Amino acid sequence: MTQKHKPKGTLLAVLDIGSSKIACFIGRVIDDEGGFEILGVGHHASKGVKGGTITDLDLAEAAIRQTVHAAENMAADIMKGYPLREVVVNLPGVHAASHVHTADVRVDGHEITSNDIRRALAKAQEQVISDEYELVHTIPMNYRIDGNDGITEPRGMFGQNLSVDIHMLTGDMGALRNMATSIERSHLDITALCHSAYAAGLASLVEDEMDLGCTLIDMGAGTTSIAVFHSGRMIYADALPIGGQHVTNDIAKGLTTSLHDAERLKALYGNAMATSADESELIDVPRLGEEDHRVPNHVPRTLLVGIIQPRVEEIFELVRGKLADSGLGTAVGRRVVLTGGASQLTGIKDLAQHVLDKQVRLGRPIRLSGLPDAVSGPAFSTTAGLFAYISEHSHEMPAEIMAHAEAHGLWERVKFWLKENW
Ligand SMILES: Nc1ncnc2c1ncn2[C@@H]1O[C@H](COP(=O)(O)OP(=O)(O)OP(=O)(O)O)[C@@H](O)[C@H]1O
Ligand SMILES: [Mg+2]
Protein backbone atom coordinates (compact mmCIF):
# COMPACT_ATOMS: atom_id res chain seq x y z
CA MET A 1 0.00 0.00 0.00
CA THR A 2 1.03 3.61 -0.28
CA GLN A 3 2.69 5.27 2.68
CA LYS A 4 0.19 5.49 5.52
CA HIS A 5 1.01 8.94 6.87
CA LYS A 6 2.17 12.13 5.19
CA PRO A 7 5.80 13.10 5.90
CA LYS A 8 6.59 15.47 8.76
CA GLY A 9 6.41 19.13 7.75
CA THR A 10 3.78 18.60 4.99
CA LEU A 11 1.30 21.48 4.79
CA LEU A 12 -2.31 20.45 4.23
CA ALA A 13 -5.52 22.40 3.89
CA VAL A 14 -9.15 21.36 4.11
CA LEU A 15 -12.34 23.06 3.03
CA ASP A 16 -15.77 22.18 4.41
CA ILE A 17 -18.58 23.69 2.35
CA GLY A 18 -21.69 23.52 4.47
CA SER A 19 -25.19 24.88 4.06
CA SER A 20 -24.74 27.36 6.93
CA LYS A 21 -20.97 27.88 7.13
CA ILE A 22 -17.83 27.37 5.12
CA ALA A 23 -14.70 26.43 7.06
CA CYS A 24 -11.05 26.17 6.06
CA PHE A 25 -8.24 24.78 8.25
CA ILE A 26 -4.57 24.81 7.34
CA GLY A 27 -2.34 22.37 9.21
CA ARG A 28 1.12 20.89 9.25
CA VAL A 29 2.17 17.29 9.94
CA ILE A 30 4.28 17.33 13.10
CA ASP A 31 5.13 13.68 13.80
CA ASP A 32 5.38 10.29 12.13
CA GLU A 33 1.99 9.16 13.48
CA GLY A 34 0.08 11.63 11.32
CA GLY A 35 -0.34 14.21 14.12
CA PHE A 36 -1.17 17.77 13.05
CA GLU A 37 -0.65 21.23 14.29
CA ILE A 38 -3.27 23.74 13.19
CA LEU A 39 -1.72 26.84 11.68
CA GLY A 40 -4.73 28.72 10.40
CA VAL A 41 -8.50 28.57 10.54
CA GLY A 42 -11.16 30.54 8.74
CA HIS A 43 -14.93 30.26 8.81
CA HIS A 44 -17.64 32.32 7.26
CA ALA A 45 -21.40 32.22 6.84
CA SER A 46 -22.18 30.15 3.78
CA LYS A 47 -23.57 31.91 0.73
CA GLY A 48 -24.88 30.40 -2.48
CA VAL A 49 -25.22 26.95 -0.88
CA LYS A 50 -28.54 25.36 0.00
CA GLY A 51 -29.10 21.88 1.36
CA GLY A 52 -25.54 20.86 0.46
CA THR A 53 -25.96 22.10 -3.13
CA ILE A 54 -24.31 25.10 -4.76
CA THR A 55 -27.16 27.38 -5.86
CA ASP A 56 -25.16 30.48 -6.85
CA LEU A 57 -21.61 30.09 -8.16
CA ASP A 58 -20.59 33.73 -7.65
CA LEU A 59 -21.83 33.95 -4.09
CA ALA A 60 -20.29 30.59 -3.19
CA GLU A 61 -16.98 31.56 -4.74
CA ALA A 62 -16.86 34.84 -2.79
CA ALA A 63 -17.62 33.09 0.51
CA ILE A 64 -14.99 30.41 -0.19
CA ARG A 65 -12.42 33.08 -1.04
CA GLN A 66 -13.06 35.00 2.17
CA THR A 67 -12.86 31.86 4.27
CA VAL A 68 -9.62 30.72 2.68
CA HIS A 69 -8.07 34.20 3.04
CA ALA A 70 -8.86 34.25 6.74
CA ALA A 71 -7.10 30.89 7.22
CA GLU A 72 -4.15 31.99 5.07
CA ASN A 73 -3.77 35.21 7.05
CA MET A 74 -3.66 33.33 10.31
CA ALA A 75 -1.01 30.97 8.91
CA ALA A 76 0.89 33.80 7.17
CA ASP A 77 4.13 33.38 9.17
CA ILE A 78 4.51 29.78 8.10
CA MET A 79 3.18 30.17 4.55
CA LYS A 80 5.44 33.15 3.93
CA GLY A 81 3.09 34.80 1.49
CA TYR A 82 2.55 31.68 -0.64
CA PRO A 83 -1.13 31.25 -1.39
CA LEU A 84 -2.86 27.99 -0.71
CA ARG A 85 -2.93 25.77 -3.81
CA GLU A 86 -4.68 22.58 -2.85
CA VAL A 87 -7.51 21.59 -0.59
CA VAL A 88 -9.31 18.44 0.54
CA VAL A 89 -13.04 19.05 0.26
CA ASN A 90 -16.16 17.49 1.81
CA LEU A 91 -18.63 15.64 -0.40
CA PRO A 92 -22.13 16.50 0.93
CA GLY A 93 -23.91 13.30 1.89
CA VAL A 94 -26.98 14.21 -0.21
CA HIS A 95 -24.87 13.93 -3.36
CA ALA A 96 -23.30 10.59 -2.52
CA ALA A 97 -24.34 6.96 -2.91
CA SER A 98 -23.02 3.77 -1.32
CA HIS A 99 -22.52 0.62 -3.40
CA VAL A 100 -21.05 -2.76 -2.56
CA HIS A 101 -19.13 -4.59 -5.29
CA THR A 102 -17.17 -7.81 -5.40
CA ALA A 103 -14.04 -8.26 -7.48
CA ASP A 104 -11.93 -11.38 -8.08
CA VAL A 105 -8.32 -11.68 -9.17
CA ARG A 106 -6.14 -14.72 -9.76
CA VAL A 107 -3.08 -15.03 -7.56
CA ASP A 108 -1.98 -18.45 -8.88
CA GLY A 109 -0.57 -19.81 -5.65
CA HIS A 110 1.86 -17.00 -4.89
CA GLU A 111 1.93 -15.03 -1.65
CA ILE A 112 -0.78 -12.35 -1.68
CA THR A 113 0.63 -8.83 -1.68
CA SER A 114 -0.75 -5.30 -1.40
CA ASN A 115 -0.55 -5.13 -5.14
CA ASP A 116 -2.94 -8.07 -5.58
CA ILE A 117 -5.45 -6.21 -3.43
CA ARG A 118 -4.96 -3.05 -5.48
CA ARG A 119 -5.45 -5.04 -8.69
CA ALA A 120 -8.80 -6.29 -7.36
CA LEU A 121 -9.82 -2.78 -6.28
CA ALA A 122 -8.74 -1.29 -9.61
CA LYS A 123 -10.76 -3.96 -11.46
CA ALA A 124 -13.87 -3.06 -9.45
CA GLN A 125 -13.25 0.63 -10.07
CA GLU A 126 -13.10 0.08 -13.82
CA GLN A 127 -16.52 -1.57 -13.64
CA VAL A 128 -18.22 1.37 -11.94
CA ILE A 129 -16.68 4.24 -13.89
CA SER A 130 -19.46 6.32 -15.44
CA ASP A 131 -20.23 9.80 -16.74
CA GLU A 132 -22.92 10.37 -14.17
CA TYR A 133 -20.93 9.99 -11.00
CA GLU A 134 -17.44 10.24 -9.69
CA LEU A 135 -15.89 7.53 -7.58
CA VAL A 136 -14.87 9.03 -4.24
CA HIS A 137 -13.98 6.17 -1.86
CA THR A 138 -12.93 2.58 -2.49
CA ILE A 139 -12.87 0.73 0.82
CA PRO A 140 -12.16 -3.03 0.97
CA MET A 141 -14.40 -4.67 3.58
CA ASN A 142 -13.98 -8.42 3.45
CA TYR A 143 -11.75 -10.88 1.59
CA ARG A 144 -12.13 -14.48 0.44
CA ILE A 145 -9.33 -16.76 -0.67
CA ASP A 146 -10.49 -19.73 -2.78
CA GLY A 147 -13.97 -19.32 -1.32
CA ASN A 148 -12.86 -19.19 2.35
CA ASP A 149 -14.78 -16.26 3.79
CA GLY A 150 -14.18 -13.76 6.58
CA ILE A 151 -10.52 -12.98 5.91
CA THR A 152 -9.68 -9.52 7.20
CA GLU A 153 -5.99 -9.39 6.20
CA PRO A 154 -5.03 -11.53 3.18
CA ARG A 155 -1.50 -10.17 2.75
CA GLY A 156 1.04 -12.95 3.24
CA MET A 157 -1.52 -15.74 2.68
CA PHE A 158 -1.49 -18.16 -0.26
CA GLY A 159 -4.20 -19.24 -2.68
CA GLN A 160 -5.36 -19.36 -6.28
CA ASN A 161 -8.12 -16.80 -6.24
CA LEU A 162 -8.61 -13.65 -4.18
CA SER A 163 -12.06 -12.11 -3.89
CA VAL A 164 -12.81 -8.75 -2.22
CA ASP A 165 -16.10 -7.16 -1.14
CA ILE A 166 -15.70 -3.43 -1.60
CA HIS A 167 -17.64 -0.43 -0.34
CA MET A 168 -17.58 2.12 -3.11
CA LEU A 169 -18.89 5.59 -2.57
CA THR A 170 -19.79 7.74 -5.54
CA GLY A 171 -20.66 11.43 -5.85
CA ASP A 172 -23.11 13.00 -8.34
CA MET A 173 -21.08 14.48 -11.17
CA GLY A 174 -23.32 17.54 -11.69
CA ALA A 175 -23.21 18.67 -8.06
CA LEU A 176 -19.47 17.99 -7.87
CA ARG A 177 -18.79 19.99 -11.02
CA ASN A 178 -20.47 23.04 -9.53
CA MET A 179 -18.53 22.63 -6.30
CA ALA A 180 -15.30 22.21 -8.22
CA THR A 181 -16.02 25.30 -10.32
CA SER A 182 -16.60 27.54 -7.31
CA ILE A 183 -13.42 26.22 -5.67
CA GLU A 184 -11.26 26.38 -8.79
CA ARG A 185 -12.37 29.94 -9.45
CA SER A 186 -10.66 30.73 -6.13
CA HIS A 187 -7.46 29.29 -7.69
CA LEU A 188 -7.52 26.13 -5.63
CA ASP A 189 -7.18 22.53 -6.78
CA ILE A 190 -9.10 19.74 -5.12
CA THR A 191 -6.69 17.00 -4.04
CA ALA A 192 -9.37 14.71 -2.67
CA LEU A 193 -13.01 14.52 -1.67
CA CYS A 194 -14.34 12.93 1.49
CA HIS A 195 -17.97 12.21 2.42
CA SER A 196 -19.09 14.68 5.13
CA ALA A 197 -20.30 12.07 7.62
CA TYR A 198 -17.27 9.85 7.00
CA ALA A 199 -14.99 12.77 7.83
CA ALA A 200 -17.11 13.65 10.88
CA GLY A 201 -16.75 10.05 12.08
CA LEU A 202 -13.00 10.00 11.57
CA ALA A 203 -12.80 13.13 13.74
CA SER A 204 -15.15 12.19 16.53
CA LEU A 205 -15.30 8.41 17.01
CA VAL A 206 -12.95 6.39 19.19
CA GLU A 207 -11.37 3.27 17.72
CA ASP A 208 -13.57 0.84 19.65
CA GLU A 209 -16.66 2.47 18.22
CA MET A 210 -15.34 2.12 14.67
CA ASP A 211 -14.42 -1.52 15.35
CA LEU A 212 -17.53 -2.74 17.15
CA GLY A 213 -20.12 -1.01 14.96
CA CYS A 214 -21.33 2.55 15.27
CA THR A 215 -23.53 4.95 13.31
CA LEU A 216 -22.33 8.51 13.03
CA ILE A 217 -25.05 11.09 12.37
CA ASP A 218 -23.78 14.47 11.15
CA MET A 219 -26.61 16.91 11.79
CA GLY A 220 -25.97 19.99 9.67
CA ALA A 221 -28.10 22.96 8.66
CA GLY A 222 -29.45 21.61 5.38
CA THR A 223 -28.52 17.95 5.53
CA THR A 224 -28.34 15.05 7.95
CA SER A 225 -25.73 12.51 6.85
CA ILE A 226 -24.99 9.10 8.23
CA ALA A 227 -21.93 6.88 8.07
CA VAL A 228 -21.86 3.37 9.52
CA PHE A 229 -18.53 2.04 10.77
CA HIS A 230 -17.66 -1.58 11.48
CA SER A 231 -14.35 -3.44 11.83
CA GLY A 232 -12.55 -0.09 11.61
CA ARG A 233 -14.04 0.82 8.22
CA MET A 234 -16.93 2.79 6.81
CA ILE A 235 -19.35 0.22 5.47
CA TYR A 236 -22.34 2.39 4.52
CA ALA A 237 -23.28 6.04 4.03
CA ASP A 238 -26.53 7.84 3.37
CA ALA A 239 -28.16 11.23 3.88
CA LEU A 240 -31.38 13.22 4.16
CA PRO A 241 -31.97 16.70 2.74
CA ILE A 242 -33.26 17.91 6.12
CA GLY A 243 -31.34 19.61 8.92
CA GLY A 244 -31.30 22.29 11.61
CA GLN A 245 -32.40 24.96 9.12
CA HIS A 246 -35.73 23.18 8.69
CA VAL A 247 -36.27 23.28 12.44
CA THR A 248 -35.58 27.04 12.37
CA ASN A 249 -37.98 27.51 9.44
CA ASP A 250 -40.72 25.61 11.31
CA ILE A 251 -40.23 27.87 14.35
CA ALA A 252 -40.32 31.05 12.26
CA LYS A 253 -43.55 29.97 10.58
CA GLY A 254 -45.16 28.50 13.69
CA LEU A 255 -44.46 31.51 15.92
CA THR A 256 -44.66 34.17 13.15
CA THR A 257 -41.21 35.54 13.86
CA SER A 258 -38.09 36.21 11.76
CA LEU A 259 -35.59 33.47 10.87
CA HIS A 260 -33.00 35.31 12.91
CA ASP A 261 -35.21 35.30 16.02
CA ALA A 262 -36.30 31.72 15.39
CA GLU A 263 -32.64 30.65 15.32
CA ARG A 264 -31.99 32.45 18.61
CA LEU A 265 -35.08 31.00 20.29
CA LYS A 266 -34.07 27.51 19.18
CA ALA A 267 -30.59 27.79 20.67
CA LEU A 268 -31.72 29.53 23.88
CA TYR A 269 -35.02 27.84 24.77
CA GLY A 270 -35.35 24.98 22.33
CA ASN A 271 -35.66 21.38 23.44
CA ALA A 272 -36.06 18.22 21.41
CA MET A 273 -38.32 16.69 24.05
CA ALA A 274 -41.03 18.23 26.16
CA THR A 275 -40.32 18.44 29.88
CA SER A 276 -42.81 19.26 32.61
CA ALA A 277 -40.80 22.39 33.52
CA ASP A 278 -41.65 23.92 30.11
CA GLU A 279 -45.36 24.11 30.87
CA SER A 280 -45.36 27.12 33.14
CA GLU A 281 -42.54 28.98 31.38
CA LEU A 282 -43.28 31.84 29.02
CA ILE A 283 -40.83 33.05 26.40
CA ASP A 284 -40.74 36.34 24.51
CA VAL A 285 -41.15 36.03 20.76
CA PRO A 286 -40.51 39.23 18.74
CA ARG A 287 -43.35 39.80 16.28
CA LEU A 288 -42.44 39.53 12.64
CA GLY A 289 -42.13 42.87 10.87
CA GLU A 290 -43.16 44.99 13.83
CA GLU A 291 -40.94 47.93 14.49
CA ASP A 292 -41.53 47.97 18.19
CA HIS A 293 -39.69 45.02 19.67
CA ARG A 294 -40.71 46.10 23.17
CA VAL A 295 -44.08 44.46 22.75
CA PRO A 296 -43.20 40.84 22.07
CA ASN A 297 -45.57 37.95 22.13
CA HIS A 298 -45.46 35.92 25.32
CA VAL A 299 -45.86 32.28 24.42
CA PRO A 300 -45.52 29.14 26.51
CA ARG A 301 -42.19 27.37 25.98
CA THR A 302 -44.18 24.20 25.30
CA LEU A 303 -45.34 25.79 22.06
CA LEU A 304 -41.74 26.14 20.88
CA VAL A 305 -40.87 22.59 21.94
CA GLY A 306 -44.05 21.35 20.27
CA ILE A 307 -42.78 22.78 16.96
CA ILE A 308 -39.23 21.45 17.31
CA GLN A 309 -39.95 17.93 18.50
CA PRO A 310 -41.93 16.57 15.51
CA ARG A 311 -39.31 17.80 13.02
CA VAL A 312 -36.37 16.29 14.89
CA GLU A 313 -38.38 13.12 15.46
CA GLU A 314 -39.02 12.99 11.71
CA ILE A 315 -35.27 13.25 11.05
CA PHE A 316 -34.48 10.33 13.39
CA GLU A 317 -37.35 8.26 12.04
CA LEU A 318 -36.04 8.73 8.50
CA VAL A 319 -32.54 7.76 9.70
CA ARG A 320 -34.00 4.66 11.36
CA GLY A 321 -35.71 3.79 8.08
CA LYS A 322 -32.49 4.23 6.10
CA LEU A 323 -30.61 1.97 8.50
CA ALA A 324 -33.34 -0.66 8.36
CA ASP A 325 -33.36 -0.56 4.54
CA SER A 326 -29.57 -0.73 4.29
CA GLY A 327 -29.63 -4.49 4.82
CA LEU A 328 -26.73 -4.20 7.26
CA GLY A 329 -28.63 -5.95 10.05
CA THR A 330 -26.67 -6.21 13.29
CA ALA A 331 -23.51 -4.77 11.68
CA VAL A 332 -25.06 -1.35 12.32
CA GLY A 333 -24.15 -1.85 15.97
CA ARG A 334 -25.78 -0.62 19.16
CA ARG A 335 -24.12 2.77 19.25
CA VAL A 336 -24.93 6.13 17.71
CA VAL A 337 -22.81 9.28 17.86
CA LEU A 338 -24.50 12.61 17.06
CA THR A 339 -22.40 15.48 15.80
CA GLY A 340 -22.73 18.56 13.55
CA GLY A 341 -24.05 21.98 14.63
CA ALA A 342 -27.66 20.84 14.92
CA SER A 343 -26.69 18.16 17.47
CA GLN A 344 -26.34 21.00 20.00
CA LEU A 345 -30.10 21.20 20.47
CA THR A 346 -30.96 20.56 24.12
CA GLY A 347 -32.52 17.13 24.68
CA ILE A 348 -31.49 15.73 21.30
CA LYS A 349 -29.60 12.78 22.78
CA ASP A 350 -32.66 11.56 24.68
CA LEU A 351 -34.89 11.89 21.63
CA ALA A 352 -32.37 10.01 19.44
CA GLN A 353 -32.14 7.26 22.05
CA HIS A 354 -35.91 7.01 22.17
CA VAL A 355 -36.48 6.87 18.39
CA LEU A 356 -33.42 4.86 17.34
CA ASP A 357 -33.36 2.55 20.37
CA LYS A 358 -29.55 2.70 20.61
CA GLN A 359 -26.93 4.01 23.02
CA VAL A 360 -26.37 7.60 21.96
CA ARG A 361 -23.59 10.04 22.77
CA LEU A 362 -22.71 13.50 21.51
CA GLY A 363 -19.48 13.82 19.52
CA ARG A 364 -17.12 16.58 18.53
CA PRO A 365 -13.63 16.63 17.00
CA ILE A 366 -11.35 14.81 19.43
CA ARG A 367 -8.51 13.73 17.20
CA LEU A 368 -7.14 17.11 16.26
CA SER A 369 -5.40 18.82 19.15
CA GLY A 370 -4.87 22.55 19.41
CA LEU A 371 -8.07 23.57 17.64
CA PRO A 372 -8.99 27.14 18.63
CA ASP A 373 -12.10 27.12 20.88
CA ALA A 374 -14.26 28.82 18.25
CA VAL A 375 -13.85 25.83 15.89
CA SER A 376 -13.62 22.93 18.34
CA GLY A 377 -17.37 22.28 18.60
CA PRO A 378 -19.52 19.66 16.82
CA ALA A 379 -20.19 21.95 13.82
CA PHE A 380 -16.51 21.44 12.88
CA SER A 381 -16.32 17.62 13.09
CA THR A 382 -16.46 17.26 9.30
CA THR A 383 -13.82 19.97 8.80
CA ALA A 384 -11.43 18.40 11.31
CA GLY A 385 -12.03 14.90 9.94
CA LEU A 386 -10.88 15.89 6.46
CA PHE A 387 -7.36 15.98 7.97
CA ALA A 388 -7.70 12.45 9.33
CA TYR A 389 -8.86 11.29 5.92
CA ILE A 390 -6.02 12.77 3.90
CA SER A 391 -3.46 11.75 6.48
CA GLU A 392 -4.55 8.18 7.24
CA HIS A 393 -6.88 7.03 4.47
CA SER A 394 -5.25 8.08 1.23
CA HIS A 395 -5.13 4.38 0.24
CA GLU A 396 -8.94 4.59 -0.17
CA MET A 397 -8.69 7.25 -2.87
CA PRO A 398 -9.61 5.81 -6.28
CA ALA A 399 -6.89 7.76 -8.10
CA GLU A 400 -4.19 6.46 -5.70
CA ILE A 401 -5.37 2.89 -6.24
CA MET A 402 -5.31 3.25 -10.04
CA ALA A 403 -1.91 4.92 -9.95
CA HIS A 404 -0.33 2.16 -7.86
CA ALA A 405 -2.02 -0.97 -9.18
CA GLU A 406 0.59 -2.82 -11.19
CA ALA A 407 -0.80 -5.09 -13.84
CA HIS A 408 -0.25 -8.77 -13.23
CA GLY A 409 0.83 -11.00 -16.10
CA LEU A 410 1.30 -10.15 -19.74
CA TRP A 411 -2.36 -10.12 -20.75
CA GLU A 412 -3.37 -7.68 -17.98
CA ARG A 413 -0.42 -5.44 -18.85
CA VAL A 414 -1.59 -5.38 -22.45
CA LYS A 415 -5.15 -4.56 -21.32
CA PHE A 416 -3.87 -1.73 -19.12
CA TRP A 417 -1.75 -0.45 -21.97
CA LEU A 418 -4.67 -0.58 -24.40
CA LYS A 419 -6.94 1.21 -21.91
CA GLU A 420 -4.44 3.94 -21.31
CA ASN A 421 -3.49 4.48 -24.91
CA TRP A 422 -6.69 3.99 -26.89
N1 LIG B 1 -27.22 25.65 20.20
C1 LIG B 1 -27.82 25.15 19.14
N2 LIG B 1 -28.97 24.48 19.27
C2 LIG B 1 -29.60 23.98 18.21
N3 LIG B 1 -29.15 24.06 16.94
C3 LIG B 1 -28.00 24.71 16.75
C4 LIG B 1 -27.26 25.29 17.82
N4 LIG B 1 -26.15 25.86 17.30
C5 LIG B 1 -26.18 25.66 15.97
N5 LIG B 1 -27.29 24.97 15.62
C6 LIG B 1 -27.71 24.57 14.27
O1 LIG B 1 -26.67 23.93 13.62
C7 LIG B 1 -26.83 24.06 12.19
C8 LIG B 1 -25.47 24.30 11.55
O2 LIG B 1 -24.71 23.16 11.70
P1 LIG B 1 -23.41 22.87 10.80
O3 LIG B 1 -22.48 24.01 10.91
O4 LIG B 1 -22.93 21.52 11.17
O5 LIG B 1 -24.08 22.87 9.35
P2 LIG B 1 -23.37 22.95 7.91
O6 LIG B 1 -22.16 22.09 7.92
O7 LIG B 1 -23.19 24.37 7.54
O8 LIG B 1 -24.54 22.38 6.99
P3 LIG B 1 -24.64 21.01 6.12
O9 LIG B 1 -23.62 20.06 6.64
O10 LIG B 1 -26.04 20.54 6.34
O11 LIG B 1 -24.43 21.41 4.71
C9 LIG B 1 -27.79 25.22 11.98
O12 LIG B 1 -29.02 24.74 11.48
C10 LIG B 1 -28.01 25.77 13.40
O13 LIG B 1 -29.34 26.19 13.60
MG1 LIG C 1 -21.71 20.12 7.44
Side-chain angles (χ1 to χ4, degrees):
M1 288 272 136
T2 47
Q3 188 193 5
K4 204 173 173 218
H5 298 295
K6 300 277 170 203
K8 228 161 118 172
T10 309
L11 276 184
L12 292 167
V14 302
L15 185 65
D16 174 7
I17 304 183
S19 310
S20 74
K21 56 96 182 49
I22 298 181
C24 174
F25 293 175
I26 301 173
R28 181 165 58 178
V29 180
I30 46 165
D31 56 35
D32 297 326
E33 274 76 56
F36 282 97
E37 113 184 279
I38 294 297
L39 304 173
V41 301
H43 56 106
H44 193 275
S46 196
K47 301 233 167 64
V49 186
K50 218 170 172 189
T53 304
I54 305 272
T55 50
D56 184 318
L57 279 173
D58 292 340
L59 287 178
E61 179 201 339
I64 291 169
R65 220 181 258 264
Q66 269 178 293
T67 310
V68 170
H69 277 171
E72 279 173 335
N73 285 340
M74 190 167 153
D77 284 351
I78 308 284
M79 298 189 64
K80 298 190 177 71
Y82 286 105
L84 209 57
R85 298 226 172 280
E86 294 181 333
V87 282
V88 181
V89 181
N90 68 309
L91 164 68
V94 284
H95 297 303
S98 253
H99 319 257
V100 174
H101 285 265
T102 300
D104 296 279
V105 284
R106 285 184 55 189
V107 282
D108 295 333
H110 74 71
E111 185 180 337
I112 294 169
T113 64
S114 295
N115 196 51
D116 294 315
I117 297 171
R118 276 197 295 262
R119 281 197 297 124
L121 301 182
K123 191 170 164 187
Q125 290 188 172
E126 282 176 18
Q127 288 163 6
V128 302
I129 285 171
S130 121
D131 293 339
E132 284 159 44
Y133 47 77
E134 168 136 354
L135 190 52
V136 175
H137 300 297
T138 300
I139 306 173
M141 299 194 294
N142 174 48
Y143 301 90
R144 272 175 302 280
I145 300 175
D146 300 337
N148 294 313
D149 209 354
I151 293 168
T152 48
E153 179 48 275
R155 272 164 278 231
M157 293 185 175
F158 295 85
Q160 297 297 323
N161 194 61
L162 172 69
S163 168
V164 194
D165 297 330
I166 310 161
H167 178 203
M168 294 180 130
L169 203 123
T170 55
D172 303 337
M173 198 64 98
L176 281 175
R177 280 217 180 110
N178 291 333
M179 256 175 80
T181 305
S182 56
I183 293 168
E184 281 157 9
R185 279 201 201 163
S186 308
H187 308 290
L188 291 166
D189 284 333
I190 302 173
T191 33
L193 288 162
C194 179
H195 186 276
S196 291
Y198 186 28
L202 294 178
S204 60
L205 298 184
V206 297
E207 248 165 61
D208 275 358
E209 287 170 331
M210 289 195 208
D211 285 341
L212 299 172
C214 180
T215 302
L216 183 289
I217 311 183
D218 175 24
M219 310 189 73
T223 63
T224 299
S225 309
I226 58 180
V228 179
F229 291 78
H230 195 277
S231 308
R233 307 175 177 99
M234 177 178 62
I235 58 168
Y236 178 76
D238 213 328
L240 314 166
I242 316 177
Q245 181 66 54
H246 297 77
V247 178
T248 305
N249 289 346
D250 292 350
I251 298 170
K253 274 190 213 143
L255 299 183
T256 336
T257 192
S258 69
L259 285 172
H260 176 80
D261 286 320
E263 183 70 34
R264 192 178 54 83
L265 291 169
K266 177 174 78 169
L268 278 179
Y269 308 111
N271 202 323
M273 279 181 111
T275 64
S276 51
D278 299 339
E279 303 215 343
S280 52
E281 204 179 330
L282 290 178
I283 56 172
D284 290 349
V285 179
R287 295 168 202 263
L288 183 64
E290 292 208 8
E291 297 271 315
D292 192 354
H293 282 257
R294 285 167 304 178
V295 281
N297 237 347
H298 299 292
V299 304
R301 190 173 173 189
T302 40
L303 199 60
L304 174 69
V305 177
I307 295 170
I308 296 173
Q309 183 165 353
R311 181 61 96 167
V312 183
E313 227 161 41
E314 179 199 8
I315 294 177
F316 289 130
E317 272 160 14
L318 290 168
V319 167
R320 188 181 62 194
K322 294 244 175 222
L323 292 175
D325 294 345
S326 68
L328 292 171
T330 55
V332 166
R334 297 277 314 130
R335 196 159 178 83
V336 164
V337 173
L338 306 179
T339 196
S343 73
Q344 295 170 100
L345 180 70
T346 307
I348 202 155
K349 185 180 132 181
D350 293 338
L351 183 65
Q353 215 143 296
H354 177 73
V355 178
L356 299 170
D357 190 23
K358 304 231 184 247
Q359 300 161 2
V360 182
R361 78 166 175 95
L362 301 178
R364 53 175 206 87
I366 48 170
R367 287 166 175 248
L368 206 54
S369 55
L371 271 183
D373 281 352
V375 293
S376 65
F380 295 91
S381 292
T382 297
T383 328
L386 294 173
F387 274 112
Y389 179 68
I390 190 77
S391 133
E392 292 166 32
H393 293 264
S394 57
H395 53 277
E396 295 166 2
M397 291 176 195
E400 287 270 318
I401 293 165
M402 279 306 188
H404 291 96
E406 281 165 33
H408 170 72
L410 182 63
W411 172 233
E412 284 201 23
R413 278 204 296 273
V414 170
K415 275 203 299 190
F416 257 67
W417 185 85
L418 283 172
K419 263 207 159 67
E420 272 172 27
N421 292 280
W422 298 96

